[in-house]
Amino acid sequence: MCAFAGFYNPFQDYQKDNARYEAILKQMCEVQKHRGPDNSGVWLFEQGGLCHARLSIIDLTTGGQPMKKADAGYTFGITYNGEIYNTRELRLDLEKQGHTFSTTSDTEVILTGYMEYGPDFVKQLNGIFAFAIADPVRKRLCLFRDRSGVKPLFYTIRGDEIVFSSELKGLFAYPGIEPVLDKKGLNEIFSIGPARTSGCGVFKGISELFPGHMLLCSRDGFHLQCYWKLESKVHEDSYEETVEKTSFLVQDSIRRQMVSDVPICTLLSGGVDSSLVSAVCAAELKKQGRQLTTFSFDFVNNDKYFKASAFQPSRDRPFVEQMVKYLDSDHHFLECDNVTQADRLYDSVKAHDLPAMGDIDSSLLHFCSLVKQHNKVTLTGECADEIFGGYPWFHKEECFKTAAFPWTMDLKPRKMLLKDDFLDYLGMDEYVQEAYQKSLAETPILLEDSPVEARRREIAFLNLRWFMQTLLNRMDRSSMYSGLEARVPFADHRIIEYVWNVPWDMKTRDGVVKNLLRQAGKGLLPDEILFRKKSPYPKTYDTNYEALLVSRVRDMAAGSSSPVMEFLDKEKLEGFLASPSDYGKPWYGQLMAGPQMLAYILQINYWLETYHISIE
């Protein structure tokens, strides 16, 4: 896991101003150093330049980047962020083709595979990745992003030049690229956020490479190509075969993602997803005579303040304690206090270069910084709910009948604090409905589906395209802000492809939510964990935290130079601050309506102010 950036223009010779452009590359790398604090490198060639900030996980001594490799007098180059989990198989195949290797890194395997097979080699990769390859033979630069969009890759095109970066801040380190918001960007923040339309970089003129896509840049222009997408097919396996295949795919993915030259750990919530990941890891390490390290998250005094609700029925700690005993893991209970959680809201903005999921992000970022003090690599249970249908909106009748994103069916909470003239300008309902309808139209259909099954498929696709991407962004930025590599075994494209076509009856056999995954985990976990009712990422229920946010928002509103107040109605805001919060009514997904809305407002203000954003 690392960061990279670069630029390319087939009609320009950057080496004519070597010192200037090498300095630019170094700065693009420096601003992303948190993602790769172990090493860095730059490579300037005639048509472009690549830079890399490295977090050393595989091949600690010889895997530096940008990596170059010569063939028949041509020098190819790569800069890469991610991990490839089938490196061994790919390398063996390439060796049979006559290739030799000077490192043990997956980076060299990707570059060599490209040299042998061209861009389509990306289809052979199993992993999480974004990378750029300079190809002197075909005279082009190629950008690639993994199928699920686990690793980020932003870019902007200015005439014949493309500038790209793992994070938005890398683009802003390039001269002449400024943070500007137009109407579309404002809608992304206020109407869609903290989600983001696929491919949208929020800032004017900035895009993000679509998951499962490549961008080929040459004298012929810029050509975006899709190399992977979901396909709807009739599921022909029996229920027993489906459980068996699901179990194999899940366990194989977890075992593959344990590959590392440094010790791994897992994030353990006591839910079925993270517990399955931890159980497989613990069993594998035990075979080697090693003990798994696990971490759980909670908030100071949450035992005192916690209140069960429909979307958060129980605390995690009792289930974590049961799993720690079951796994015999080296466990660390991590806690976050109110002030830290509020202060970290601003670090979360810097990690994303955007407003994020409020304290859901800030607390995770803080916890990841504590995990990094012990480990560089962690495995998580992220994405299982999106793939196996674990969220409430997979099951609620109103979500089936309402033509809206199921996690934000009511836009009223978003509108209640905004100025009336700003609401008129945004056209919030139209913007959201257009984004929703476009995603529906892209859902892979199956003629054999009943109307109900077809609607379930739409909701599943919306979750994969939107909600899962939001959580993957959250995990990547929150972990990489401290140089922690977070792996997501459930996002393996083989699992996504297979489970996508499994009928709903098999996914929820006997009316049990996510029963397919639970049955696939039989024998790996205690039944109390395997069949535990879903409880999302923990939140603080301490009203003192909300009081702290209220105080900060009031101070912000009173300031004469708070940029977010250009959009907020002071009277509406004060009325909201004075009213009691509804802790059981989420405003986005499962984010609580009170404190997390306040946190989001604080993040927007800090973002506008700190990034010196221009409004167009």
Coordinates of all heavy atoms in Angstrom, one line a residue, residues 1-2 54-60 65 80-87 90 104-107 110 125-131 146-147 150-151 256-262 376-378 480 485-488:
M1 N 0.8 -1.2 0.0 CA 0.0 0.0 0.0 C 0.9 1.2 0.0 O 1.8 1.3 0.8 CB -0.9 0.0 1.2 CG -1.9 -1.1 1.3 SD -3.0 -1.0 -0.1 CE -4.0 -2.5 0.2
C2 N 0.5 2.1 -0.9 CA 1.4 3.3 -1.1 C 0.6 4.4 -1.6 O -0.7 4.4 -1.6 CB 2.5 2.9 -2.1 SG 3.3 1.3 -1.7
R54 N 6.3 4.9 -0.6 CA 6.1 3.5 -0.4 C 5.9 3.1 1.1 O 6.5 3.6 2.0 CB 7.4 2.7 -0.9 CG 7.2 1.2 -0.8 CD 8.4 0.5 -1.3 NE 8.1 -1.0 -1.3 CZ 9.0 -1.9 -1.1 NH1 10.3 -1.6 -0.8 NH2 8.6 -3.2 -1.2
L55 N 4.9 2.2 1.3 CA 4.7 1.5 2.5 C 5.2 0.1 2.3 O 4.6 -0.7 1.5 CB 3.3 1.5 2.9 CG 2.9 0.8 4.3 CD1 3.5 1.6 5.4 CD2 1.4 0.7 4.5
S56 N 6.3 -0.3 2.9 CA 6.9 -1.6 2.6 C 6.2 -2.8 3.2 O 6.2 -2.9 4.5 CB 8.4 -1.6 3.0 OG 9.1 -0.5 2.4
I57 N 5.6 -3.6 2.4 CA 4.9 -4.8 2.9 C 5.4 -6.1 2.3 O 5.6 -7.1 3.0 CB 3.4 -4.7 2.6 CG1 2.8 -3.4 3.2 CG2 2.6 -5.9 3.1 CD1 2.8 -3.3 4.7
I58 N 5.6 -6.1 1.0 CA 6.2 -7.2 0.3 C 7.5 -6.8 -0.3 O 7.7 -5.7 -0.8 CB 5.3 -7.7 -0.9 CG1 3.9 -8.0 -0.3 CG2 5.8 -8.8 -1.6 CD1 3.8 -9.3 0.5
D59 N 8.5 -7.7 -0.2 CA 9.9 -7.5 -0.7 C 10.4 -6.1 -0.1 O 10.5 -5.1 -0.8 CB 9.9 -7.4 -2.2 CG 11.3 -7.4 -2.8 OD1 12.3 -7.3 -2.0 OD2 11.5 -7.4 -4.0
L60 N 10.7 -6.2 1.1 CA 11.1 -4.9 1.9 C 12.3 -4.2 1.4 O 12.5 -3.0 1.5 CB 11.2 -5.3 3.4 CG 10.1 -6.0 4.0 CD1 10.3 -6.2 5.5 CD2 8.7 -5.3 3.8
Q65 N 9.9 1.8 -5.9 CA 9.3 2.4 -7.1 C 9.5 3.9 -7.2 O 10.0 4.5 -6.3 CB 7.7 2.2 -7.0 CG 7.3 0.7 -6.9 CD 5.8 0.6 -6.9 OE1 5.1 1.3 -7.6 NE2 5.3 -0.2 -6.0
Y80 N 2.7 2.1 -8.5 CA 1.6 1.2 -8.1 C 1.2 1.3 -6.7 O 2.1 1.4 -5.8 CB 2.0 -0.2 -8.5 CG 1.5 -1.4 -7.8 CD1 0.1 -1.7 -7.8 CD2 2.3 -2.3 -7.1 CE1 -0.4 -2.8 -7.2 CE2 1.8 -3.4 -6.5 CZ 0.4 -3.6 -6.5 OH -0.1 -4.8 -5.8
N81 N 0.0 1.2 -6.4 CA -0.6 1.2 -5.0 C -1.5 0.0 -4.9 O -2.5 -0.1 -5.6 CB -1.3 2.5 -4.7 CG -2.2 2.4 -3.5 OD1 -1.8 1.7 -2.5 ND2 -3.3 3.1 -3.4
G82 N -1.2 -0.9 -4.0 CA -2.1 -2.1 -3.7 C -1.4 -3.4 -3.4 O -0.2 -3.4 -3.0
E83 N -2.1 -4.4 -3.5 CA -1.6 -5.8 -3.3 C -2.2 -6.7 -4.3 O -3.4 -6.7 -4.5 CB -1.8 -6.3 -1.9 CG -1.2 -5.5 -0.7 CD 0.3 -5.6 -0.7 OE1 0.9 -6.5 -1.3 OE2 0.9 -4.8 0.0
I84 N -1.4 -7.6 -4.8 CA -1.9 -8.7 -5.7 C -1.8 -10.0 -5.0 O -0.7 -10.4 -4.5 CB -1.1 -8.7 -7.0 CG1 -1.1 -7.4 -7.7 CG2 -1.6 -9.8 -8.0 CD1 -2.4 -6.8 -8.0
Y85 N -2.9 -10.7 -4.9 CA -3.0 -11.9 -4.1 C -2.8 -13.2 -4.9 O -2.7 -14.3 -4.2 CB -4.4 -11.9 -3.4 CG -4.6 -10.7 -2.6 CD1 -5.7 -9.9 -2.8 CD2 -3.7 -10.3 -1.6 CE1 -6.0 -8.8 -2.0 CE2 -3.9 -9.1 -0.9 CZ -5.0 -8.4 -1.1 OH -5.3 -7.2 -0.4
N86 N -2.6 -13.1 -6.2 CA -2.3 -14.3 -6.9 C -0.9 -14.2 -7.6 O -0.7 -14.6 -8.7 CB -3.4 -14.7 -8.0 CG -3.6 -13.6 -9.0 OD1 -3.3 -12.4 -8.7 ND2 -4.1 -13.9 -10.2
T87 N 0.0 -13.4 -7.0 CA 1.3 -13.1 -7.5 C 2.1 -14.4 -7.9 O 2.7 -14.5 -8.9 CB 2.1 -12.3 -6.5 OG1 1.5 -11.0 -6.3 CG2 3.5 -12.0 -7.1
L90 N 0.9 -16.0 -11.1 CA 1.2 -15.1 -12.3 C 2.7 -15.2 -12.6 O 3.1 -15.3 -13.8 CB 0.8 -13.7 -12.0 CG -0.7 -13.5 -11.8 CD1 -1.0 -12.0 -11.4 CD2 -1.5 -13.8 -13.1
T104 N 11.2 -9.9 -5.6 CA 10.1 -10.8 -5.3 C 8.8 -10.1 -5.2 O 7.8 -10.6 -4.6 CB 10.4 -11.5 -3.9 OG1 10.5 -10.6 -2.9 CG2 11.7 -12.4 -4.0
S105 N 8.8 -8.8 -5.6 CA 7.6 -8.0 -5.5 C 6.5 -8.3 -6.5 O 6.8 -8.7 -7.6 CB 8.0 -6.5 -5.6 OG 8.4 -6.2 -6.9
D106 N 5.3 -8.0 -6.1 CA 4.1 -8.1 -7.0 C 4.2 -6.9 -8.1 O 3.7 -7.1 -9.2 CB 2.8 -8.0 -6.3 CG 2.6 -6.9 -5.3 OD1 3.6 -6.1 -5.1 OD2 1.5 -6.7 -4.7
T107 N 4.9 -5.8 -7.7 CA 5.1 -4.7 -8.7 C 5.7 -5.2 -10.0 O 5.3 -4.9 -11.1 CB 5.9 -3.6 -8.0 OG1 5.4 -3.3 -6.8 CG2 5.9 -2.4 -8.9
I110 N 3.4 -7.3 -12.1 CA 2.4 -6.6 -12.9 C 3.1 -6.0 -14.1 O 2.6 -6.1 -15.2 CB 1.8 -5.4 -12.0 CG1 1.0 -6.0 -10.9 CG2 0.9 -4.5 -12.9 CD1 0.6 -4.9 -9.9
L125 N -5.4 -10.3 -12.8 CA -5.0 -9.9 -11.4 C -6.1 -10.1 -10.4 O -7.3 -9.7 -10.6 CB -4.6 -8.4 -11.4 CG -3.5 -7.9 -12.3 CD1 -3.2 -6.5 -12.1 CD2 -2.2 -8.8 -12.1
N126 N -5.8 -10.7 -9.3 CA -6.7 -10.8 -8.1 C -6.1 -9.9 -7.0 O -5.0 -10.3 -6.5 CB -6.8 -12.2 -7.7 CG -7.7 -12.4 -6.5 OD1 -7.8 -11.5 -5.6 ND2 -8.5 -13.4 -6.4
G127 N -6.7 -8.8 -6.8 CA -6.2 -7.9 -5.8 C -6.9 -6.6 -5.7 O -7.9 -6.4 -6.3
I128 N -6.2 -5.7 -4.9 CA -6.7 -4.3 -4.8 C -5.6 -3.5 -5.3 O -4.4 -3.6 -4.9 CB -7.0 -4.0 -3.3 CG1 -5.9 -4.3 -2.4 CG2 -8.3 -4.7 -2.9 CD1 -6.1 -4.0 -0.9
F129 N -5.9 -2.6 -6.3 CA -4.8 -1.9 -6.9 C -5.2 -0.7 -7.7 O -6.4 -0.5 -8.1 CB -4.1 -2.9 -7.9 CG -5.0 -3.5 -8.9 CD1 -5.4 -2.8 -10.1 CD2 -5.5 -4.8 -8.7 CE1 -6.2 -3.5 -11.0 CE2 -6.3 -5.4 -9.6 CZ -6.7 -4.7 -10.8
A130 N -4.3 0.2 -7.9 CA -4.3 1.3 -8.9 C -2.9 1.4 -9.3 O -2.0 1.4 -8.5 CB -4.9 2.6 -8.3
F131 N -2.7 1.6 -10.6 CA -1.3 1.7 -11.1 C -1.2 2.4 -12.4 O -2.2 2.5 -13.2 CB -0.5 0.4 -11.1 CG -1.2 -0.7 -12.0 CD1 -0.8 -0.8 -13.3 CD2 -2.0 -1.6 -11.4 CE1 -1.4 -1.9 -14.1 CE2 -2.6 -2.6 -12.2 CZ -2.3 -2.8 -13.5
D146 N -8.7 -1.3 -9.7 CA -9.2 -2.6 -9.4 C -10.7 -2.6 -9.5 O -11.4 -1.6 -9.6 CB -8.8 -3.0 -8.0 CG -9.4 -2.2 -6.9 OD1 -10.6 -2.2 -6.7 OD2 -8.6 -1.5 -6.2
R147 N -11.3 -3.8 -9.6 CA -12.7 -4.0 -9.9 C -13.7 -3.4 -9.0 O -14.7 -2.9 -9.3 CB -12.9 -5.5 -10.1 CG -12.1 -6.2 -11.2 CD -12.2 -7.7 -11.0 NE -11.5 -8.5 -12.0 CZ -10.2 -8.8 -11.9 NH1 -9.5 -8.3 -10.9 NH2 -9.6 -9.5 -12.8
V150 N -11.3 -0.4 -4.6 CA -10.7 -0.3 -3.2 C -9.6 0.7 -3.1 O -9.5 1.5 -2.2 CB -10.1 -1.7 -2.8 CG1 -9.5 -1.7 -1.4 CG2 -11.2 -2.8 -2.9
K151 N -8.8 0.8 -4.2 CA -7.7 1.8 -4.2 C -8.1 3.0 -5.1 O -8.7 2.8 -6.2 CB -6.4 1.1 -4.7 CG -5.9 0.0 -3.8 CD -5.2 0.6 -2.6 CE -6.1 0.5 -1.4 NZ -5.5 1.1 -0.2
R256 N -5.5 -15.9 1.0 CA -4.7 -15.2 0.1 C -4.3 -13.8 0.6 O -3.1 -13.4 0.4 CB -5.4 -15.0 -1.3 CG -5.5 -16.3 -2.1 CD -6.3 -16.0 -3.4 NE -6.4 -17.2 -4.2 CZ -5.5 -17.6 -5.1 NH1 -4.4 -16.9 -5.3 NH2 -5.6 -18.7 -5.8
Q257 N -5.1 -13.2 1.3 CA -4.9 -11.8 1.7 C -4.0 -11.7 3.0 O -3.7 -10.7 3.5 CB -6.2 -11.0 1.8 CG -6.9 -10.9 0.5 CD -8.0 -9.9 0.4 OE1 -8.0 -8.9 1.2 NE2 -8.9 -10.0 -0.5
M258 N -3.6 -12.9 3.5 CA -2.7 -12.9 4.6 C -1.3 -12.8 4.2 O -0.4 -12.6 5.0 CB -2.9 -14.2 5.4 CG -4.2 -14.4 6.1 SD -4.3 -16.0 6.9 CE -3.1 -15.8 8.2
V259 N -1.0 -12.8 2.8 CA 0.4 -12.8 2.4 C 1.0 -11.4 2.8 O 0.4 -10.4 2.5 CB 0.4 -12.9 0.8 CG1 -0.4 -11.9 0.1 CG2 1.9 -13.0 0.3
S260 N 2.2 -11.5 3.4 CA 2.8 -10.3 3.9 C 4.2 -10.7 4.4 O 4.4 -11.8 4.9 CB 2.0 -9.6 5.0 OG 2.7 -8.6 5.5
D261 N 5.2 -9.8 4.2 CA 6.5 -10.0 4.8 C 6.6 -9.3 6.2 O 7.7 -9.2 6.8 CB 7.6 -9.4 3.9 CG 7.7 -10.3 2.6 OD1 7.3 -11.5 2.7 OD2 8.2 -9.8 1.6
V262 N 5.5 -8.7 6.7 CA 5.4 -8.2 8.0 C 4.2 -8.8 8.7 O 3.3 -9.3 8.0 CB 5.3 -6.6 8.0 CG1 6.5 -6.0 7.4 CG2 4.0 -6.2 7.2
K376 N 1.4 -3.1 10.6 CA 1.3 -2.3 9.3 C 0.2 -2.8 8.4 O -0.3 -2.1 7.5 CB 2.6 -2.5 8.5 CG 3.7 -1.5 8.8 CD 4.8 -1.8 7.7 CE 6.0 -0.8 7.9 NZ 7.0 -1.0 6.9
V377 N -0.3 -4.1 8.7 CA -1.3 -4.7 7.8 C -2.4 -5.2 8.6 O -2.2 -5.9 9.6 CB -0.7 -5.8 7.0 CG1 -1.7 -6.5 6.0 CG2 0.5 -5.3 6.1
T378 N -3.6 -4.9 8.2 CA -4.8 -5.5 8.9 C -5.8 -6.0 7.9 O -5.9 -5.5 6.8 CB -5.4 -4.5 9.9 OG1 -6.5 -5.1 10.6 CG2 -6.1 -3.3 9.1
M480 N -4.9 4.6 5.6 CA -3.7 5.1 5.0 C -3.2 6.4 5.5 O -2.1 6.8 5.3 CB -3.9 5.1 3.5 CG -4.1 3.7 2.8 SD -2.7 2.6 3.2 CE -1.4 3.4 2.3
E485 N -2.1 -0.5 6.2 CA -2.8 -1.2 5.0 C -3.9 -2.0 5.5 O -3.8 -3.0 6.3 CB -1.7 -2.1 4.3 CG -2.4 -2.9 3.2 CD -1.3 -3.8 2.5 OE1 -0.3 -3.3 2.1 OE2 -1.6 -5.0 2.3
A486 N -5.1 -1.7 5.0 CA -6.3 -2.4 5.4 C -6.8 -3.2 4.2 O -7.1 -2.7 3.1 CB -7.4 -1.4 5.8
R487 N -6.9 -4.5 4.4 CA -7.3 -5.4 3.3 C -8.8 -5.8 3.5 O -9.2 -6.0 4.7 CB -6.4 -6.6 3.2 CG -5.0 -6.3 2.9 CD -4.1 -7.5 2.9 NE -2.7 -7.1 2.6 CZ -1.6 -7.9 2.6 NH1 -1.8 -9.2 2.9 NH2 -0.5 -7.5 2.2
V488 N -9.5 -6.1 2.4 CA -10.9 -6.4 2.5 C -11.3 -7.7 1.8 O -11.7 -7.6 0.6 CB -11.7 -5.2 1.9 CG1 -11.8 -4.0 2.9 CG2 -11.1 -4.7 0.6

